[in-house]
Amino acid sequence: MLYFSRWKTTLIWLAVLAGVVFAAPNLFTQQQLAALPDWFPKKQLTLGLDLQGGSHILLRVEREDIENERLETLVDDVRRLLREDGIGYTGLTGSGMAAQVRIRDPDNIDRAKDALEELTQLVNAGLLGGGAIREAELSEPEPGLLRITLTEEGINNRVSSAVSQSIEVVRRRVDELGTTEPVIARQGADRILVQVPGFDDPERLKLILNQTAKLSFHLVDRSMSADEALRGRPPVTSEIVYSNDDPPIPYLLQKRALLSGDNLVDAQAGFDQRTNEPIVTFRFDTAGAQRFGQVTQQNVGFPFAIVLDDAVITAPVINEPILGGSGQISGNFTVETANDLAVLLRAGALPATLTVMEERTVGPGLGADSIAAGETAGIIGAILVVVFIFIAYGFLGLIANLALIFNVVMIIAVLTVIGATLTLPGIAGIVLTVGMAVDSNVLIYERIREERRGGRSLVQAIDAGFQRAFGTILDANITTLIAAVILFYLGSGPVRGFAVTLAIGIVTTVFTAFTVTRWMIAEWVRRRRPKELPRGLLTNLFSGAHYRFMWLRKFTFMFSAAAALASLLLFATVGMNYGIDFTGGSVIEVESRSGAASVGDIRGRLSNLNLGDVQVQEFGSPEHVLIRVQAQGAGENAEQTVVSKVRADLESDYNIVRVESVGPVVSGELARAGTIALLAALFAILIYIWFRFEWQFALGAIIATVNDVVLTIGMFAITQIEFNLSSIAAVLTIIGYSLNDTVVVYDRVRENLRRYKKMALPDLLDLSVNQMLSRTVLTSVTTLLALSALFIFGGEVIRSFTFAMIFGVIIGTYSSIFVAAPVLILFKLRGETFQAGMGSGEDEKDAKGLAPDTA
């Protein structure tokens, strides 16, 4: 085990070198990278929106729009087909998902069916997996009445196509804004995720994304005035459309559009040469130019309306034919609104309305603060861990620290290569990994010392220590990896970023512990040929401890049961302070433009906006204030209205640095996903431990873990710390950490069951816990050091997350000793299953001096 061939050594250090090379670009600016040789990697770590600022917006394609448009088209098609065949009809209407028409002459019913059969033909299913589907079905509910019903699969196909089309339109619109590396992707059947890093005007972004931008050109109906139409009844072929003026001006327009925005090939913002007012110039394609010329030639002297999203922008009088295929749109534009309209027209119209279901916006200033806080916390946490390990193990601690540095470098390198996004919870995952990675080295070192105390030579002890620690480390890390994988698949946004960094950290930890650390120790042994292991200040911590933990089990069981019951009662009565991720609503963080913010002034202003329950509190510093607004309960758009109202009322005196808005549909989905993630993680880990150990161990681990989860919920209920998506990540990590600790103890219990055939179970459990006590305490202290740095220096946004983690580490350490181990006594665990071919009388004899007495 301590011999490394040349090719193994080469591969190990090539892997480490690759990590250094691919992580190195993150230390340079873009200008510095450009000056480096072409062969040098240029890819840098992608920072999340919470670190560099920007907007995260989840949009939904409105199915109702697709249904209404499809029904309107269906009615028009029925009218056209029957008229083309000269079939008389009456009562043509459309409602819900069906159009129906009554045929006047019974003899024409079969002809009508043949004519309408075109509407029920099979069509290509497109994105719904290929094949053919039927978009409409024809029926005759009563003689002479024909009904054409739209099918669900047909509407689903149209929605899917609309999402694909919308993604392309949104991409063109966002690209026109000049942003860098936006993320625009489909989510589910009818949603689009838009992430625009570094963009500091979320209101403008939402306005551009929300607008359907359906442009059409209509003749003004001259048969009567708009006022007459409002007082009476407008012609069937015309309708009233209002302008965007204040107050709106009504226009009577012909329903049929003579031209649409589909014929546009270009649109640019400019200025009217006569008035110097902002305008938008446009240019048609060849077909559009010909049609536009014909229409203007035939209607000289009459008004011609330009309509955008069912509102008249302008209705100029046609003074002369416009034959060049170009024109201009004038109105009450500013330079920015003219630019935005040009962007919308160039990008094309959306096939349906996009509703904002979720918004998370971070200002660039707050993102810079988050980066600084994360760097500070990471550096301080790393220093604390490195110093502690060196004090604990001396020269071996130095080797562990080198392995730890290589570990972090490889994590950053892998994140960079795979293009993962580093978020603030992701930094928490790295810092947590730094703390937990030490556990592998501690397990190895403690095992080596045990083997040395057992009489083996130093080389034999090192070799056996690595071999015997491998299974324990693998079991302990796989349990945490299971939680991370489930968190990735069931989580979203920053939670997934946390899961990715944690999972990568686990893999690199196992690699560095069993290759880099082992190689360095082997090289040290080969060169120095030491007689004994180096010592540190904490080398003999708890060496030979004989604490009677099992004697206390009645008291610890009662305490744990009482604490769990109290937690459940608090959860049922007081409840938790759920964040908007689970309740819906809006959170807005503002920063005073001058001096300290006035909480009373903000509360007074917002009380007049009729927003329901509004909470205002200082957040982190006197200049920052956090505003929480309850869910409005009036659809997804209501939350966006809240943000707009608050922004309009406060932005004269305050900078809006962060906005989070979650609609009722998304909040319900997040709550379900969080619950499923917890249950799935527990079930998967139960199966793994059952497979690796025995059913008693699996149940014991789950009991201890459920105890930790319940007590954590009680902590949230007592402290009223906000419970949000990050809290779910914290709870799942607590599960992984607690099980890591429990599995390490259980692995020693299993080993001792094989060695000591006649020892009473309470004595054996005490022996096992005492043997692992040094490792348990050192690992917990190391992890707490890393988390404490994150809690103190990591910033306000992540403080509740790290507090939950600190609580979880403490409670997880407690449960692995005082719950997980003694619960095996209740299950009457027997050692016969583990004793085949293992152990010896000498092992039993050697244990007599180590086993504590029991009551």
Side-chain angles (χ1 to χ4, degrees):
M1 284 288 287
L2 289 182
Y3 170 74
F4 285 84
S5 62
R6 184 170 297 177
W7 69 269
K8 281 186 179 181
T9 300
T10 302
L11 286 177
I12 290 170
W13 289 105
L14 278 177
V16 174
L17 179 62
V20 172
V21 170
F22 284 105
N26 295 289
L27 300 175
F28 300 99
T29 64
Q30 288 293 338
Q31 292 79 7
Q32 291 171 331
L33 283 175
L36 293 175
D38 292 338
W39 58 265
F40 194 84
K42 302 294 195 298
K43 191 173 183 180
Q44 291 182 309
L45 198 60
T46 303
L47 298 180
L49 299 181
D50 52 356
L51 292 178
Q52 65 170 319
S55 292
H56 161 113
I57 297 176
L58 183 64
L59 303 164
R60 181 178 64 195
V61 173
E62 286 301 327
R63 185 186 181 91
E64 187 178 347
D65 282 8
I66 306 291
E67 292 176 354
N68 291 339
E69 185 174 341
R70 186 72 187 94
L71 183 63
E72 187 177 323
T73 303
L74 183 65
V75 171
D76 288 341
D77 286 343
V78 171
R79 181 185 294 112
R80 175 180 56 82
L81 292 171
L82 293 179
R83 284 180 176 176
E84 286 176 355
D85 276 26
I87 300 171
Y89 64 88
T90 185
L92 175 58
T93 59
S95 177
M97 294 277 285
Q100 63 181 29
V101 62
R102 187 172 293 279
I103 307 302
R104 287 198 180 100
D105 187 349
D107 294 335
N108 287 335
I109 291 176
D110 289 338
R111 284 182 57 213
K113 287 181 179 178
D114 291 339
L116 298 177
E117 192 68 30
E118 176 185 320
L119 303 177
T120 64
Q121 297 296 318
L122 293 173
V123 298
N124 186 7
L127 294 173
L128 290 183
I133 62 171
R134 203 177 300 278
E135 288 198 316
E137 295 174 342
L138 177 64
S139 62
E140 188 178 3
E142 60 182 74
L145 182 67
L146 300 183
R147 179 175 295 159
I148 305 92
T149 305
L150 298 173
T151 64
E152 283 291 332
E153 62 181 1
I155 295 295
N156 290 340
N157 185 45
R158 295 278 177 156
V159 170
S160 182
S161 298
V163 171
S164 298
Q165 185 180 342
S166 298
I167 287 174
E168 292 308 311
V169 174
V170 167
R171 189 182 306 281
R172 288 196 294 269
R173 292 182 182 182
V174 173
D175 287 344
E176 289 277 0
L177 296 175
T179 59
T180 57
E181 299 184 1
V183 175
I184 301 166
R186 176 191 291 258
Q187 273 207 345
D190 60 352
R191 297 179 190 177
I192 301 170
L193 174 66
V194 181
Q195 291 183 332
V196 186
F199 194 68
D200 59 356
D201 193 350
E203 288 302 301
R204 184 184 177 204
L205 177 64
K206 283 189 295 182
L207 184 63
I208 288 176
L209 295 181
N210 269 336
Q211 251 181 293
T212 308
K214 286 189 175 181
L215 185 74
S216 55
F217 298 80
H218 299 256
L219 287 174
V220 175
D221 191 333
R222 304 188 301 274
S223 63
M224 66 172 66
S225 68
D227 291 336
E228 289 175 331
L230 286 171
R231 290 194 300 269
R233 186 175 181 182
V236 177
T237 57
S238 300
E239 62 182 344
I240 296 291
V241 180
Y242 288 89
S243 71
N244 280 324
D245 299 296
D246 189 16
I249 299 172
Y251 291 88
L252 182 63
L253 306 182
Q254 293 183 8
K255 289 182 179 178
R256 187 169 66 92
L258 299 174
L259 275 170
S260 71
D262 295 339
N263 297 106
L264 289 177
V265 292
D266 191 25
Q268 297 291 335
F271 293 93
D272 192 310
Q273 293 181 352
R274 294 166 301 175
T275 63
N276 205 35
E277 291 180 348
I279 60 170
V280 176
T281 60
F282 58 86
R283 183 163 53 87
F284 288 111
D285 58 17
T286 303
Q290 290 176 353
R291 179 62 178 154
F292 193 53
Q294 291 173 359
V295 170
T296 55
Q297 197 167 22
Q298 295 167 4
N299 294 275
V300 172
F302 298 105
F304 184 73
I306 302 175
V307 179
L308 179 71
D309 291 344
D310 299 324
V312 175
I313 299 178
T314 183
V317 174
I318 302 171
N319 295 320
E320 58 185 14
I322 304 173
L323 304 177
S326 62
Q328 70 180 42
I329 304 172
S330 59
N332 297 321
F333 292 132
T334 64
V335 174
E336 186 175 278
T337 57
N339 275 319
D340 289 348
L341 178 58
V343 167
L344 293 172
L345 296 182
R346 285 198 301 271
L350 290 167
T353 303
L354 296 180
T355 299
V356 177
M357 302 185 70
E358 178 185 4
E359 176 195 357
R360 300 180 191 274
T361 298
V362 178
L366 187 61
D369 292 342
S370 297
I371 293 176
E375 289 177 348
T376 301
I379 292 171
I380 294 175
I383 291 173
L384 289 175
V385 169
V386 165
V387 170
F388 179 75
I389 293 302
F390 181 74
I391 291 174
Y393 285 102
F395 178 74
L396 290 181
L398 179 62
I399 291 177
N401 287 330
L402 287 173
L404 194 60
I405 292 170
F406 293 138
N407 187 10
V408 174
V409 168
M410 294 182 77
I411 292 173
I412 294 173
V414 173
L415 288 172
T416 302
V417 170
I418 68 175
T421 300
L422 181 65
T423 60
L424 206 54
I427 291 178
I430 293 176
V431 174
L432 178 64
T433 302
V434 167
M436 294 181 65
V438 176
D439 183 43
S440 298
N441 287 302
V442 171
L443 277 169
I444 292 168
Y445 293 167
E446 292 299 315
R447 193 69 205 222
I448 291 173
R449 293 191 184 283
E450 275 189 51
E451 298 298 328
R452 184 75 177 112
R453 287 196 296 267
R456 294 179 184 269
S457 68
L458 180 60
V459 173
Q460 290 175 331
I462 293 174
D463 193 34
F466 273 100
Q467 288 188 42
R468 296 193 175 186
F470 181 74
T472 304
I473 292 172
L474 205 59
D475 284 332
N477 281 282
I478 285 177
T479 54
T480 308
L481 185 61
I482 288 172
V485 169
I486 290 175
L487 187 60
F488 176 80
Y489 280 105
L490 299 181
S492 62
V495 176
R496 299 187 75 180
F498 172 78
V500 168
T501 54
L502 185 61
I504 293 172
I506 290 169
V507 174
T508 56
T509 294
V510 174
F511 170 78
T512 53
F514 283 94
T515 57
V516 179
T517 301
R518 190 156 57 90
W519 185 91
M520 287 191 289
I521 290 180
E523 191 69 10
W524 168 68
V525 170
R526 186 178 69 83
R527 289 177 179 273
R528 295 299 179 92
R529 301 190 181 278
K531 301 298 182 183
E532 286 295 337
L533 286 171
R535 293 178 176 273
L537 293 179
L538 302 179
T539 295
N540 294 317
L541 183 68
F542 300 116
S543 178
H546 301 311
Y547 299 116
R548 300 169 62 189
F549 294 110
M550 298 308 110
W551 180 81
L552 295 170
R553 66 181 181 274
K554 294 180 181 178
F555 304 103
T556 56
F557 280 165
M558 286 190 293
F559 169 76
S560 298
L565 181 61
S567 296
L568 292 175
L569 288 174
L570 283 168
F571 175 73
T573 54
V574 178
M576 292 196 291
N577 178 23
Y578 291 106
I580 63 169
D581 293 324
F582 302 124
T583 63
S586 303
V587 169
I588 304 166
E589 184 180 345
V590 299
E591 180 186 30
S592 174
R593 293 179 185 270
S594 59
S598 173
V599 172
D601 174 59
I602 294 175
R603 190 178 289 118
R605 290 195 199 184
L606 300 184
S607 64
N608 299 322
L609 299 182
N610 193 28
L611 301 177
D613 182 30
V614 178
Q615 300 175 10
V616 183
Q617 64 186 68
E618 187 179 298
F619 189 71
S621 69
E623 293 80 19
H624 287 254
V625 170
L626 197 68
I627 302 166
R628 302 174 192 268
V629 184
Q630 71 174 50
Q632 301 300 293
E636 308 293 339
N637 286 323
E639 310 306 331
Q640 292 303 307
T641 302
V642 167
V643 175
S644 299
K645 285 184 176 181
V646 173
R647 183 183 293 273
D649 197 83
L650 297 180
E651 64 182 353
S652 59
D653 300 315
Y654 296 89
N655 294 319
I656 310 297
V657 297
R658 178 165 62 101
V659 173
E660 294 184 20
S661 179
V662 180
V665 173
V666 173
S667 63
E669 292 172 352
L670 292 175
R672 285 192 297 274
T675 303
I676 291 171
L678 285 172
L679 296 177
L682 285 172
F683 180 74
I685 292 167
L686 169 67
I687 297 300
Y688 176 78
I689 296 178
W690 198 324
F691 175 77
R692 288 289 291 146
F693 294 85
E694 287 293 326
W695 67 267
Q696 293 99 330
F697 290 101
L699 289 181
I702 293 300
I703 288 172
T705 305
V706 169
N707 176 75
D708 295 343
V709 172
V710 170
L711 292 184
T712 303
I713 289 173
M715 179 274 294
F716 276 105
I718 291 174
T719 60
Q720 287 297 292
I721 292 175
E722 183 180 295
F723 190 84
N724 50 31
L725 275 181
S726 295
S727 304
I728 290 287
V731 172
L732 276 173
T733 309
I734 289 168
I735 289 175
Y737 182 87
S738 174
L739 281 163
N740 181 299
D741 228 6
T742 299
V743 167
V744 168
V745 173
Y746 278 180
D747 192 79
R748 181 53 62 94
V749 171
R750 180 176 59 178
E751 181 180 335
N752 285 335
L753 283 168
R754 290 167 174 164
R755 295 182 66 189
Y756 309 129
K757 298 183 176 69
K758 299 177 182 179
M759 185 181 293
L761 184 58
D763 292 345
L764 186 140
L765 293 174
D766 269 336
L767 172 64
S768 303
V769 172
N770 277 285
Q771 286 175 337
M772 302 309 297
L773 194 59
S774 178
R775 169 262 159 201
T776 300
V777 172
L778 287 174
T779 299
S780 297
V781 171
T782 306
T783 309
L784 286 173
L785 286 173
L787 288 173
S788 297
L790 201 64
F791 177 77
I792 297 170
F793 303 103
E796 194 69 33
V797 174
I798 205 171
R799 187 156 290 149
S800 61
F801 172 81
T802 49
F803 179 78
M805 297 281 287
I806 289 171
F807 178 84
V809 169
I810 295 171
I811 206 67
T813 303
Y814 162 84
S815 67
S816 65
I817 296 174
F818 294 105
V819 177
V823 80
L824 296 176
I825 299 174
L826 298 180
F827 294 141
K828 303 186 184 305
L829 181 67
R830 292 288 181 266
E832 290 80 1
T833 308
F834 305 95
Q835 290 172 2
M838 299 293 296
S840 66
E842 291 303 314
D843 289 333
E844 183 73 35
K845 182 178 178 181
D846 291 342
K848 289 180 180 177
L850 295 174
D853 296 329
T854 57

